[in-house]
Amino acid sequence: MLSQTCIYGIQTCIFLALPEQVEKRVRVSTIAEELHISPTFLSKIVNQLVQVGILKSVRGVSGGTWLAKPAQEIKAVDIVLAIDGNRIFNECLLGLPGCNDRNPCPFHQQWSNVRLQLLAMFQSSTLDTLAAKVNDLDLRIRQHKNNDH
Amino acid sequence: MLSQTCIYGIQTCIFLALPEQVEKRVRVSTIAEELHISPTFLSKIVNQLVQVGILKSVRGVSGGTWLAKPAQEIKAVDIVLAIDGNRIFNECLLGLPGCNDRNPCPFHQQWSNVRLQLLAMFQSSTLDTLAAKVNDLDLRIRQHKNNDH
DNA sequence: CGAAATAAAGATAAAAGACTCTTAAAACTA
DNA sequence: TAGTTTTAAGAGTCTTTTATCTTTATTTCG
């Protein structure tokens, strides 16, 4: 559904929207350790999100990355579009190019409804909402939150 | 969303459910040509579907493959489960193992709804329904149906 | 300015998925 | 039984995604 790269991007942004991190410069290596992601790989993902204006970053001592905008102004859909593009919101279930209302595949109508619901989910999910869920309800944004030691 | 292998499997089964093909032995090479799939690759997919009882096949002269059951008794979900497994119906949007109602990720509730709708779509799609759509409305099950020559 | 810390970038590697090529096995036909 | 046709199976290739390793550029601090 989402690429691993995109999943890491979303997890990172939610992490940066948590009250403990917000407005701070957080090292990529710290995020990578917290979320169990390879640091250099995450560095490239962070850079992608910097390019599209979702994150900011500075190098050097006391450098790091942080949300470029208030958390309530960043939606999950922005991250998905930045990393995976609009493929998942447009693509035919059977991968047929040019599948649309006038020239549909047999799944087109039902699949369009699913895609709309998917889009609505990502559009209605702002980082502050997601971070609040994680914070208030102790929800998970990484593997084995309560099993680590 | 679906693997290419699974897409080919679905297209093949819909093709075999069309009135022209049903109850006949259709050569894999014929299907491959019609649907623009590599014949040897399709052969393996057909074999997978034979193993789980969705298709039957015989080798040799006048051999071929055909639906193992009446088209109204085969659902799209059967094909998806046979080839891609139940991953797409169960897996966490963020790929977190053990994500469930009691230990959810921040997308869990909304994503569960989308997955249910997805499951409903595949469960309600029988091959006879899909084939009828393709046949009655001239819907597409392959690339460039009207552009070929 | 020099040293240390940190992100960015480039090259490489590993894994998975998609696809191909070749050979084997089975079924029909004469 | 011999020959032909067709699916089955095994091994190999190509591409994309994911991840790592190494070097470079930038920033801060003393």
Side-chain angles (χ1 to χ4, degrees), chain B residues 2-3 5-6 9-10 13 44-55 74-87 89:
Chain B
L2 298 177
S3 70
T5 305
C6 187
I10 293 172
C13 289
K44 291 182 202 302
I45 299 168
V46 164
N47 190 239
Q48 272 191 271
L49 295 173
V50 168
Q51 300 305 318
V52 298
I54 291 173
L55 298 182
I74 303 175
K75 302 172 193 166
V77 71
D78 302 328
I79 303 165
V80 173
L81 289 174
I83 296 179
D84 281 351
N86 63 5
R87 220 186 63 256
F89 303 123

Side-chain angles (χ1 to χ4, degrees), chain A residues 16 24-26 28 31 46 50 55-57 63-67:
Chain A
L16 290 173
K24 285 184 193 158
R25 291 180 177 184
V26 186
V28 169
I31 305 170
V46 165
V50 168
L55 298 182
K56 288 191 177 176
S57 71
T65 185
W66 66 96
L67 299 181

Side-chain angles (χ1 to χ4, degrees), chain A residues 48-146:
Chain A
Q48 272 191 271
L49 295 173
V50 168
Q51 300 305 318
V52 297
I54 291 173
L55 298 182
K56 288 191 177 176
S57 71
V58 293
R59 303 200 239 201
V61 178
S62 79
T65 185
W66 66 96
L67 299 181
K69 293 180 285 190
Q72 68 264 25
E73 293 177 21
I74 303 175
K75 300 172 192 167
V77 71
D78 302 328
I79 303 165
V80 173
L81 289 174
I83 296 179
D84 282 350
N86 63 5
R87 221 187 62 256
I88 65 167
F89 302 122
N90 291 322
E91 201 171 50
C92 170
L93 184 68
L94 298 180
L96 303 180
C99 175
N100 56 43
D101 291 345
R102 295 202 175 172
N103 194 25
C105 81
F107 290 101
H108 181 72
Q109 189 154 7
Q110 285 184 279
W111 176 235
S112 295
N113 288 334
V114 176
R115 283 189 312 197
L116 277 179
Q117 198 180 334
L118 196 68
L119 181 62
M121 179 183 81
F122 285 121
Q123 276 179 334
S124 67
S125 298
T126 57
L127 286 184
D128 67 329
T129 308
L130 293 167
K133 283 190 193 177
V134 171
N135 206 52
D136 295 355
L137 305 171
D138 193 32
L139 300 193
R140 298 144 31 103
I141 57 171
R142 61 171 194 188
Q143 294 186 16
H144 312 121
K145 180 166 188 174
N146 301 313

Side-chain angles (χ1 to χ4, degrees), chain B residues 4 17 22 29 43 53 56-57 69 107 143:
Chain B
Q4 193 59 57
V22 85
S29 57
S43 165
K56 288 191 177 177
S57 70
K69 293 180 284 191
F107 290 99
Q143 294 186 15

Side-chain angles (χ1 to χ4, degrees), chain B residues 68-121:
Chain B
K69 293 180 284 191
Q72 68 265 24
E73 292 177 21
I74 303 175
K75 302 172 193 166
V77 71
D78 302 328
I79 303 165
V80 173
L81 289 174
I83 296 179
D84 281 351
N86 63 5
R87 220 186 63 256
I88 65 166
F89 303 123
N90 292 322
E91 200 171 51
C92 169
L93 184 69
L94 298 180
L96 304 179
C99 176
N100 56 43
D101 291 347
R102 293 199 176 173
N103 194 25
C105 80
F107 290 99
H108 181 73
Q109 189 154 7
Q110 285 184 279
W111 176 235
S112 295
N113 287 334
V114 176
R115 284 189 311 198
L116 276 179
Q117 200 180 331
L118 197 66
L119 181 61
M121 179 183 81

